[in-house]
């Protein structure tokens, strides 16, 4: 999974200048990771538990010809997808509160909370690219990838509306998730 807006907590034993500290950290990090800014956090701040909502974006390249420049950033689906069918499934999923059906069996059976508030699940076609944007208060393990996989199945005609509705009552997801390389964590709000 790629991330543009990830937040981490780092506990230091001394004060650092935010601008110089970010620059120094970037010299130590691998080329595909960058510190954009540093801010002092309240004691006990937890980036995962204190988030009010998160925004994910998933890109699907829906053209027969493979994506050359973005091959590692999109899911290439060659067969034509019906975006309206994908939107109908998205509306159904947005109405859900328990997303046990959109996670792994191990997570669903672990006893951990599976209720989430999915504020938005949009599906937009922009030329050959289909962009799915998901905003919610929390996401379960592989939840975004399972939901996008089901949207693609709906768009390809492999998942009828009554089948999608039946899936929401399952105890865990028995379908394949979308591949990770199309997924980006865009933003976290606190």
């Amino acid at each position: 999974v790629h991330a543009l807006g990830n937040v981490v907590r780092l506990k230091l034993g001394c004060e650092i200048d935010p601008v110089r500290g970010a620059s120094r950290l970037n010299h130590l990090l691998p080329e595909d990771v960058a510190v954009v800014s540093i801010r002092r956090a309240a004691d006990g701040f937890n980036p995962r538990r204190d988030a009010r909502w998160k925004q994910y974006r998933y890109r699907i390249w829906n053209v027969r010809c493979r994506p050359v420049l973005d091959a590692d950033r999109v899911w290439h689906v060659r067969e034509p997808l019906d975006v309206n069918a994908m939107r109908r499934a998205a509306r159904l999923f947005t109405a859900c509160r328990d997303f046990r059906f959109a996670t792994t069996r191990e997570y669903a059976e672990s006893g951990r909370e599976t209720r989430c508030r999915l504020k938005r699940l949009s599906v937009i076609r922009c030329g050959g690219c289909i962009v799915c944007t998901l905003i919610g208060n929390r996401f379960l393990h592989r939840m975004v990838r399972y939901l996008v996989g089901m949207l693609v199945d709906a768009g390809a005609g492999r998942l009828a509306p009554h089948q999608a509705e039946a899936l929401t009552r399952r105890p865990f997801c028995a379908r394949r998730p979308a591949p990770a390389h199309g997924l980006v964590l865009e933003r976290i709000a606190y």
Side-chain angles (χ1 to χ4, degrees):
V1 177
H2 305 288
L4 293 174
N6 207 356
V7 175
V8 298
R9 178 178 180 229
L10 178 63
K11 191 171 184 174
L12 301 172
C14 62
E15 288 290 322
I16 63 168
D17 174 75
V19 176
R20 289 179 59 206
S23 178
R24 287 182 175 168
L25 280 172
N26 282 329
H27 285 297
L28 300 172
L29 293 169
E31 297 247 342
D32 60 346
V33 178
V35 175
V36 176
S37 66
I38 295 178
R39 286 189 282 181
R40 185 169 190 72
D43 288 339
F45 171 73
N46 184 304
R48 200 178 78 209
R49 285 193 282 277
D50 293 344
R52 286 186 335 204
W53 56 266
K54 295 179 180 182
Q55 178 174 320
Y56 284 93
R57 177 183 35 125
Y58 196 101
R59 293 175 53 219
I60 302 160
W61 183 248
N62 191 218
V63 178
R64 289 185 62 82
C65 184
R66 70 180 176 271
V68 177
L69 295 178
D70 283 339
D72 61 340
R73 301 239 190 286
V74 297
W75 178 16
H76 185 201
V77 177
R78 289 171 181 82
E79 62 191 305
L81 296 176
D82 178 351
V83 172
N84 289 324
M86 294 173 75
R87 288 179 181 142
R88 284 190 294 276
R91 281 192 296 276
L92 174 70
F93 298 148
T94 306
C96 291
R97 292 296 169 255
D98 190 339
F99 286 88
R100 180 182 315 270
F101 73 95
T103 190
T104 62
R105 180 181 196 148
E106 295 77 25
Y107 190 97
E109 293 176 348
S110 70
R112 291 187 278 183
E113 181 61 56
T114 56
R115 295 178 59 82
C116 304
R117 282 192 325 272
L118 191 57
K119 287 174 40 173
R120 178 176 167 201
L121 174 47
S122 65
V123 180
I124 298 169
R125 180 181 287 279
C126 185
C129 193
I130 298 172
V131 179
C132 302
T133 303
L134 298 90
I135 301 173
N137 69 322
R138 62 190 291 265
F139 291 89
L140 309 179
H141 182 62
R142 292 194 184 151
M143 179 175 153
V144 173
R145 292 175 51 206
Y146 277 118
L147 289 174
V148 171
M150 288 183 257
L151 292 177
V152 166
D153 284 346
R158 291 188 297 269
L159 184 64
H162 71 279
Q163 294 171 310
E165 189 172 351
L167 280 178
T168 65
R169 295 188 295 273
R170 291 191 51 98
F172 59 89
C173 192
R175 304 181 82 82
R176 278 188 338 183
H181 56 264
L183 180 60
V184 176
L185 170 62
E186 287 192 318
R187 192 167 162 210
I188 303 174
Y190 294 96

